[in-house]
Each structure stands twice: as C-alpha cells, then as structure tokens.
C-alpha cells in the first residue's frame, strides 16, 4: 500500500465508533470547529472506575481513541494509577506497525475476481477514488479497485481530514497508555488485537456490507450524526460521563441500518467480550488497568453495568 500504515488503520478501526460519523470535506465545508478543553465543566464525573471483588482491586478506564490534541492528555491521577499498575490491558497494541499492515493486507481487500465497483454505486465509487487515490494517494488504483467497502468507509474521514488539514485526527489516550506501559516496563496485554478487529468487519456477508456502507454514506451526506463526534470528544475532555451516556441514548434511537448494526455488533456484542475478559483477568488479582473505548462503558449493556451484574463494586472516580 502506498501510504496506508499503522496510523491510518488504527484510527480507522479502533476509532470507528466516532470516525464513522465524520463526513468528507464536501459535507463539512464551512463548519466552524471549536476545540473542547480539558476540564471545561464545573462537575466532572470522569471515565475512570475502580472495580473491586473479594478484596481485589483494579481500574477500568474509558479512552478516547482519537480527537483534537487536548484529547491526548489524561489527568495526573489517572496517569499515576497507570504507572503503578501491574498489568495494562488495551483493545489493541496500536504501536505494532507490522501487525497493523498485515491485518489490512489480509482482511481489507477482496480475494479473487471481485471488485469494489460491484459493491458500491458508481457515484460514490468515483468520489472516494478521487479522495483516496487522486488527492490523498492513500491507495493505488489497483488497491482501490479491490478494497472492501468497510475499509473504504473507515478510510474516507481519515484521508479527507489529512488532505484538507482538518484538525480532528490526532492520537487519543490509547497511545499515551501504551507509551506509559513501555516507559515503566508494565506488561501490555491486548484484549482483542488488530487482526481480530479487522476480521470482525471482513466477516460481514456481502449483502450486509453493502447495506452497511450505503447507510453510512447517507448518514454522512445528511450530517445526521455529524455532530456526535464533537459532542463525544467534548464529553471526554470535560470528564463528563453523564453527557456521554445521554449521547449514547440519543444515538441508539436512530433506526437506520448503520446505527442498528453498529450498536448491536460494534458496541453490545463486544461489550460482552470485554466484560467477560475483565472479570476473568481481575478474578483474585489486583493491579489491572483496563482501557477500552469510552462508549463501551455507558448504558445498561456497558462494561460498568455488566461488572456490577457480576458482583463487582464499581466506584466512579470523580474530580
């Protein structure tokens, strides 16, 4: 691939819950972007939770995978807890470039004679070829022709934001956590891994993938969920967990194909895996620090509620 390296794939998949909502430049032209500042609210409820069962304590932290540069920062208390942890768990080790590249090569492209043009309409095919191949040069024309629709959907906001100098795409808190694990020689454990994340999308049936892509494009063009990304970053940088929960409740009301797929598969099904993994890893063991995307913590299907159902005392660390 020409320029499709670890940065782009990580931001594409791992940040999918917020990046899918961003439209190409043709949709956000003229939009004024206000960068949220850390600690902007007067009441900060935070995304850090202490979990305890049978006297064994660990922490669960809701990360922001990408965003404006302030979203790269974490408060001093969370940083100190990370430094003192015995084990750190992340969704995927985004610093492993080789794994990222292999995952894209293995899962992001059609095998055999199938082509992208058979799966998306001609208008979108030409538009996205212009952004990804002609302007951004993220894919060669040969790669674009065999790319899977789900990969194109993830790459569009990334490529477009970089081509247009759109100030959104920065590494979020995940990379900071990974760097701390290496700096303080703390074992880093992947909850999923990039290869498994890519396989999650590549396993979609062709008809599901086509509907998924089409619905996503409609949402982008109509700006239906365009503001969600900014609200989510604002909630995180303001340590306002309640605002995130309200945002998730509102987003779940959408009845389009993309939203239905997203909340069922990207959020709820993965939440079950995260809850089980955290419970198993923290059973009769203290000192774990579990970092998952902040959307996975919220709601009745979220990690916080799920751990309480398993008998954990879950205490939100407030600021």
């Amino acid at each position: 691939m020409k320029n499709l390296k670890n940065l782009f794939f990580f931001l594409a998949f791992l940040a999918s819950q917020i990046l899918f909502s961003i439209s190409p430049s043709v949709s956000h032209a003229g939009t004024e972007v206000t960068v949220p500042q850390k600690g902007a609210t007067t009441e900060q409820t935070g995304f850090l939770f202490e979990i305890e069962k049978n006297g064994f304590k660990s922490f669960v932290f809701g990360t922001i995978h990408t965003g404006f540069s302030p979203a790269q920062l974490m408060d001093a208390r969370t940083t100190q807890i990370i430094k003192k942890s015995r084990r750190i768990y992340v969704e995927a080790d985004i610093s492993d470039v080789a794994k990222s590249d292999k995952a894209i090569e293995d899962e992001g492209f059609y095998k055999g004679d199938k082509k992208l043009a058979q799966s998306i309409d001609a208008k979108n095919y030409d538009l996205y070829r212009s952004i990804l191949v002609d302007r951004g040069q993220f894919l060669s024309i040969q790669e674009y022709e065999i790319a899977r629709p789900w990969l194109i959907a993830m790459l569009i906001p990334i490529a477009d934001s970089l081509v247009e100098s759109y100030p959104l795409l920065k590494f979020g808190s995940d990379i900071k956590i990974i760097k701390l694990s290496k700096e303080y020689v703390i074992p880093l454990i992947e909850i999923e891994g990039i290869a498994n994340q890519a396989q999650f999308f590549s396993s979609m049936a062709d008809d599901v993938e086509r509907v998924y892509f089409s619905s996503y494009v409609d949402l982008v063009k109509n700006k239906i969920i365009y503001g969600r990304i900014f609200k989510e970053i604002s909630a995180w940088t303001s340590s306002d967990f309640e605002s995130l929960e309200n945002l998730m409740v509102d987003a779940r009301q959408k009845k389009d194909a993309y939203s239905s797929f997203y909340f069922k598969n990207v959020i709820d099904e993965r939440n079950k895996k995260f809850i089980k993994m955290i419970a198993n890893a923290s059973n009769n063991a203290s000192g774990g620090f579990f970092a998952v995307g902040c959307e996975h913590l919220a709601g009745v299907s979220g990690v916080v509620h799920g751990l309480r159902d398993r008998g954990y005392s879950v205490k939100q660390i407030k600021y």
Side-chain angles (χ1 to χ4, degrees):
M1 288 170 283
K2 297 170 73 175
N3 293 317
L4 188 59
K5 296 299 182 182
N6 183 52
L7 167 64
F8 308 119
F9 179 62
F10 163 64
L11 291 177
F13 180 83
L14 200 57
S16 61
Q17 52 251 56
I18 52 180
L19 287 182
F20 277 145
S21 304
I22 306 169
S23 60
S25 59
V26 293
S27 297
H28 68 239
T31 300
E32 181 179 354
V33 178
T34 301
V35 179
Q37 299 297 319
K38 188 76 175 175
T41 60
T42 56
E43 181 181 359
Q44 298 173 300
T45 51
F47 291 84
L48 179 65
F49 294 79
E50 180 187 81
I51 64 172
E52 180 180 0
K53 188 175 182 180
N54 298 327
F56 296 96
K57 296 182 181 180
S58 289
F59 289 88
V60 173
F61 181 62
T63 67
I64 192 78
H65 292 321
T66 189
F68 302 108
S69 55
Q72 297 179 27
L73 304 177
M74 291 182 294
D75 63 276
R77 183 184 303 185
T78 302
T79 301
Q80 288 301 314
I81 289 173
I82 293 172
K83 292 178 181 179
K84 296 178 181 179
S85 298
R86 296 180 180 178
R87 298 166 306 282
I88 295 174
Y89 298 80
V90 294
E91 289 183 34
D93 181 359
I94 62 174
S95 66
D96 194 327
V97 177
K99 282 186 179 179
S100 300
D101 288 344
K102 188 176 188 305
I104 274 289
E105 294 284 2
D106 291 346
E107 308 295 340
F109 299 93
Y110 284 122
K111 306 300 188 292
D113 297 329
K114 193 158 188 177
K115 304 291 185 182
L116 176 64
Q118 299 171 289
S119 299
I120 66 176
D121 65 88
K123 184 177 180 180
N124 284 322
Y125 183 90
D126 291 340
L127 171 64
Y128 294 167
R129 181 185 61 193
S130 172
I131 295 174
L132 288 172
V133 179
D134 301 335
R135 293 165 57 202
Q137 297 186 341
F138 291 99
L139 297 172
S140 68
I141 186 60
Q142 293 81 9
E143 291 163 344
Y144 183 77
E145 288 174 349
I146 61 172
R148 294 280 299 265
W150 69 263
L151 178 62
I152 299 301
M154 293 180 181
L155 288 176
I156 286 299
I158 296 168
D160 186 71
S161 66
L162 294 176
V163 169
E164 298 296 324
S165 298
Y166 193 56
L168 177 65
L169 297 178
K170 307 282 186 181
F171 273 125
S173 51
D174 300 84
I175 192 65
K176 175 67 173 178
I177 294 169
I178 292 171
K179 288 180 177 178
L180 286 171
S181 75
K182 294 181 178 180
E183 180 180 354
Y184 290 89
V185 197
I186 304 169
L188 183 71
I189 302 164
E190 292 183 300
I191 299 175
E192 290 180 316
I194 290 177
N196 287 332
Q197 292 178 335
Q199 289 168 7
F200 171 83
F201 279 97
S202 67
S203 65
M204 281 192 286
D206 289 345
D207 58 336
V208 174
E209 189 173 8
R210 282 193 293 269
V211 172
Y212 170 88
F213 179 85
S214 177
S215 177
Y216 158 73
V217 169
D218 288 342
L219 290 173
V220 164
K221 290 181 176 179
N222 292 302
K223 299 183 180 181
I224 293 176
I225 53 175
Y226 175 68
R228 176 176 158 220
I229 174 65
F230 303 106
K231 292 178 182 178
E232 183 164 311
I233 292 175
S234 178
W236 194 91
T237 55
S238 301
S239 298
D240 191 350
F241 186 71
E242 183 179 354
S243 288
L244 176 73
E245 288 198 301
N246 292 336
L247 178 61
M248 292 284 285
V249 169
D250 180 67
R252 282 182 181 272
Q253 304 306 312
K254 307 297 182 184
K255 302 302 182 183
D256 57 273
Y258 161 74
S259 296
S260 297
F261 176 91
Y262 175 75
F263 282 105
K264 178 182 178 181
N265 297 283
V266 179
I267 298 296
D268 294 344
E269 289 302 316
R270 291 173 69 215
N271 283 353
K272 295 175 185 177
K273 297 177 183 178
F274 291 168
I275 293 166
K276 182 178 180 180
M277 189 275 180
I278 293 171
N280 289 340
S282 61
N283 183 37
N284 297 325
S286 294
F289 187 91
F290 301 89
V292 298
C294 58
E295 286 191 352
H296 293 287
L297 301 188
V300 295
S301 67
V303 170
V304 170
H305 194 279
L307 289 173
R308 286 179 174 144
D309 282 347
R310 286 175 172 256
Y312 280 82
S313 168
V314 182
K315 176 184 177 182
Q316 187 177 31
I317 308 299
K318 298 185 178 182
Y319 302 95

